[in-house]
């Protein structure tokens, strides 16, 4: 399993035209093809630099990696603060949103999914 975690995300909510920001965590299990580690944050940047919603962003990253790398599986988790929730409406400053997309073995094998979730929740070295 290859994981790049804590990838910074900055995007604009397409509903409110207000920023949301946070971290993305990406994992894939190679199936003969690997990619340079810096390419994973580049995929995140590619999709987050447009008007976006977090749910679609998570899915686009996951599906793109699945399509291009053809790995055994892909897991993507995004945690983000939304200024639309912080500045307007309910005005909740501490709330954040978590979305996930699991493809291939990450969806079908509970142990693989648990390993990924466990590794991204660990503190840094």
């Amino acid at each position: 399993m290859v994981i790049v975690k804590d990838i910074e995300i900055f995007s604009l909510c397409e509903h409110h035209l207000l920023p949301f920001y946070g971290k993305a965590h990406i994992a894939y299990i190679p199936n003969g093809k690997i990619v340079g580690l810096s390419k994973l944050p580049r995929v995140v940047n590619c999709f987050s630099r447009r008007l976006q919603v977090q749910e679609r962003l998570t899915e686009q990253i996951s599906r793109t990696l699945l399509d291009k790398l053809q790995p055994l599986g892909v897991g993507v988790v995004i945690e983000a603060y939304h200024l639309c929730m912080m500045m307007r409406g309910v005005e909740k400053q501490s709330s954040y949103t978590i979305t996930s997309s699991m493809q291939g073995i990450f969806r079908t094998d509970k142990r693989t999914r648990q390993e990924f979730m466990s590794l991204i929740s660990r503190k840094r070295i």
Side-chain angles (χ1 to χ4, degrees), residues 1 35-36 55 58 68 76 84 92 95 98 101 121:
M1 184 181 301
V35 66
E55 300 91 319
T58 308
K68 299 300 179 188
V76 177
C84 52
K92 298 300 178 194
S95 298
I98 302 172
S101 177
S121 67

Side-chain angles (χ1 to χ4, degrees), residues 1 3 19-20 28 30 32 34 42-43 45 59 65 67 76 78 80-81 94 103 113 117:
M1 184 181 301
I3 299 174
F20 65 92
Y28 75 99
I34 61 169
R42 286 179 195 265
V43 171
N45 285 346
E59 196 65 27
L65 294 174
D67 181 51
V76 177
I78 296 178
Y81 291 98
S94 300
Q103 308 291 335
R113 187 171 51 255
M117 298 304 282

Side-chain angles (χ1 to χ4, degrees), residues 13 18 23 32 37 40 46 49 51 57 95 98 105-107 115 117 124:
C13 171
L18 288 169
K23 306 271 183 176
L37 297 176
L40 300 177
C46 174
R49 298 290 187 213
L51 290 176
L57 175 61
S95 298
I98 302 172
I105 197 166
F106 285 89
R107 179 180 290 277
E115 179 183 352
M117 298 304 282
R124 297 209 283 185

Side-chain angles (χ1 to χ4, degrees), residues 46-104:
C46 174
F47 289 113
S48 65
R49 298 290 187 213
R50 54 181 84 163
L51 290 176
Q52 193 59 273
V53 293
Q54 183 174 334
E55 300 91 319
R56 186 179 322 114
L57 175 61
T58 308
E59 196 65 27
Q60 287 173 330
I61 294 166
S62 176
R63 295 269 179 204
T64 298
L65 294 174
L66 188 67
D67 181 51
K68 299 300 179 188
L69 296 178
Q70 299 176 344
L72 297 176
V74 174
V76 177
V77 173
I78 296 178
E79 304 169 290
Y81 291 98
H82 292 251
L83 265 67
C84 52
M85 279 188 54
M86 298 165 87
M87 294 174 57
R88 53 179 300 286
V90 295
E91 297 184 9
K92 298 300 178 194
Q93 308 305 311
S94 300
S95 298
Y96 62 97
T97 302
I98 302 172
T99 53
S100 70
S101 177
M102 304 295 165
Q103 308 291 335

